[in-house]
Amino acid sequence: MAARVLQQCVRSLARPSLRLCPVSAALRAAVAPAVGVHRPVSFAADSRRTRWLGQSRISSVVVLCRQYGDLPPLTLETIKDRVMYVLKLYDKINPEKLQETSHFMKDLGLDSLDQVEIIMAMEDEFGFEIPDAEAEKLMSPEEIVQYIADKKDVYE
Amino acid sequence: MASAYLTHQQKVLRLYKKSLRHLESWCIFRDKYRFYACMLRARFDDNKNEKDMVKATMMLKAGEEEFWANQHPQPYIFPDSPGGTSYERYECYKVPEWVLDHWHPSEKAMYPDYFSKREQWKKLRLQSWDKEVAQLEAETSAGGVRTEALPPARKEGDLPPLWWQFVTRPRERPT
């Protein structure tokens, strides 16, 4: 309910901004609160007029909604790009030979300890833990991408 | 995982991973962590070709004891993993799919395509249920179920057992 009252106040403030310059300054001064000295009133009216003129070019709709912070949404392409980027940074992998379907042990000649390190790098990159039971089965970048997409509800 | 027991390799890999994570909690600066991580990897690599399983098990036990002695009191736990800050936070919002059947018809009319497809899926589920149960009963050993792992579909054109639960599972992060 307070939001509705606030919205009405905002609308009443924003309404004069829809009018353009021909409106007389006297009207603006009348709208402005009655301050004692004459000059500050006119100055205030001027500043308010210029401010409203500036605002009249922009739409003055204020939507009161909560804004939470979050990461940008993941897509399959971004997941794949990030996974390949991290893998190319790993020094035991030859970046030319790396494909999406290349198996870590058979094609790239890596060790199981290397695979653990790769999975840990993926956990650090995406910010969530991959349990050991499922991590030991992920043996190619494609499987990693599918697993992350499964966990993060991407194109489910 | 095939059975409830871990192989020696799996135990070694788990020790390696958790020791690296605790090392990361101790050495917060990345270059220092990298240095000690490489030292730890060298230690693991020296003994990885041990063929004598007795000696390998003794080394694993010594490694676990060393890990226990040097573990971090407050290791970094990811938010979504057990013990983390956001573990099971959205569990209360994960509504089961049978709730959709209890919607009012006016609400269901807002999504006609989805609900018509849903009727087809439910028919498919009814048809495949007997075959799934038969497959599970046939594949369960005499002593009862050992693991939670479900077998895949064996025959062509058959659906894997208890697929409905998996397909209609709630999202990890319900909106």
Side-chain angles (χ1 to χ4, degrees), chain A residues 84-139:
Chain A
M84 300 307 277
Y85 183 67
V86 170
L87 284 174
K88 281 177 188 153
L89 285 174
Y90 191 53
D91 57 353
K92 289 191 193 179
I93 295 181
N94 191 1
E96 278 102 56
K97 272 203 245 166
L98 183 66
Q99 302 281 320
E100 272 97 55
T101 49
S102 50
H103 196 269
F104 290 141
M105 307 232 176
K106 294 179 210 163
D107 297 333
L108 299 169
L110 293 175
D111 201 5
S112 54
L113 289 170
D114 296 320
Q115 196 255 346
V116 168
E117 287 185 13
I118 288 171
I119 298 295
M120 282 180 66
M122 294 301 152
E123 288 179 1
D124 288 332
E125 167 72 23
F126 290 98
F128 69 98
E129 189 177 4
I130 302 174
D132 293 318
E134 303 178 15
E136 62 199 11
K137 295 183 201 139
L138 300 172
M139 283 290 169

Side-chain angles (χ1 to χ4, degrees), chain A residues 92 111-114 116-117 120 123-124 127 129-130 132-133 136-137 150-151 153 156, chain B residues 1 9-10 13-14 16-17 20-21 24 30 41 44-45 48 78 81 169 171-173:
Chain A
K92 289 191 193 179
D111 201 5
S112 54
L113 289 170
D114 296 320
V116 168
E117 287 185 13
M120 282 180 66
E123 288 179 1
D124 288 332
E129 189 177 4
I130 302 174
D132 293 318
E136 62 199 11
K137 295 183 201 139
D150 188 37
K151 284 288 156 188
D153 307 324
E156 43 180 341
Chain B
M1 206 161 65
Q9 188 194 17
Q10 281 172 325
L13 292 177
R14 277 165 207 236
Y16 181 58
K17 189 168 178 186
L20 272 183
R21 283 283 177 220
E24 200 179 348
R30 208 65 198 175
R41 175 65 197 266
F44 271 83
D45 271 338
K48 73 174 175 184
F78 287 99
S81 49
R169 71 193 193 280
R171 283 192 261 196
E172 299 289 327
R173 225 20 110 84

Side-chain angles (χ1 to χ4, degrees), chain A residues 4-15:
Chain A
R4 240 182 285 142
V5 170
L6 279 170
Q7 254 180 338
Q8 279 178 355
C9 291
V10 166
R11 265 193 228 115
S12 62
L13 268 176
R15 222 176 284 123

Side-chain angles (χ1 to χ4, degrees), chain A residues 4-118:
Chain A
R4 240 182 285 142
V5 170
L6 279 170
Q7 254 180 338
Q8 279 178 355
C9 291
V10 166
R11 265 193 228 115
S12 62
L13 268 176
R15 222 176 284 123
S17 72
L18 294 171
R19 299 187 212 137
L20 297 171
C21 355
V23 176
S24 59
L27 214 114
R28 292 299 169 90
V31 166
V35 186
V37 186
H38 186 66
R39 208 188 292 172
V41 172
S42 58
F43 175 73
D46 276 345
S47 67
R48 203 171 282 117
R49 183 177 17 145
T50 47
R51 192 158 32 99
W52 279 337
L53 281 176
Q55 270 185 358
S56 66
R57 280 165 187 89
I58 317 162
S59 73
S60 54
V61 175
V62 174
V63 179
L64 289 171
C65 69
R66 294 214 182 149
Q67 289 161 4
Y68 297 110
D70 199 2
L71 295 165
L74 290 171
T75 59
L76 278 174
E77 285 83 31
T78 56
I79 295 175
K80 190 170 72 75
D81 289 335
R82 283 164 78 177
V83 166
M84 300 307 277
Y85 183 67
V86 170
L87 284 174
K88 281 177 188 153
L89 285 174
Y90 191 53
D91 57 353
K92 289 191 193 179
I93 295 181
N94 191 1
E96 278 102 56
K97 272 203 245 166
L98 183 66
Q99 302 281 320
E100 272 97 55
T101 49
S102 50
H103 196 269
F104 290 141
M105 307 232 176
K106 294 179 210 163
D107 297 333
L108 299 169
L110 293 175
D111 201 5
S112 54
L113 289 170
D114 296 320
Q115 196 255 346
V116 168
E117 287 185 13
I118 288 171

Side-chain angles (χ1 to χ4, degrees), chain B residues 125-142:
Chain B
R125 178 195 182 195
L126 274 178
Q127 285 159 7
S128 72
W129 177 247
D130 296 318
K131 281 186 264 181
E132 289 170 39
V133 168
Q135 181 190 345
L136 279 175
E137 279 182 352
E139 301 208 4
T140 314
S141 54

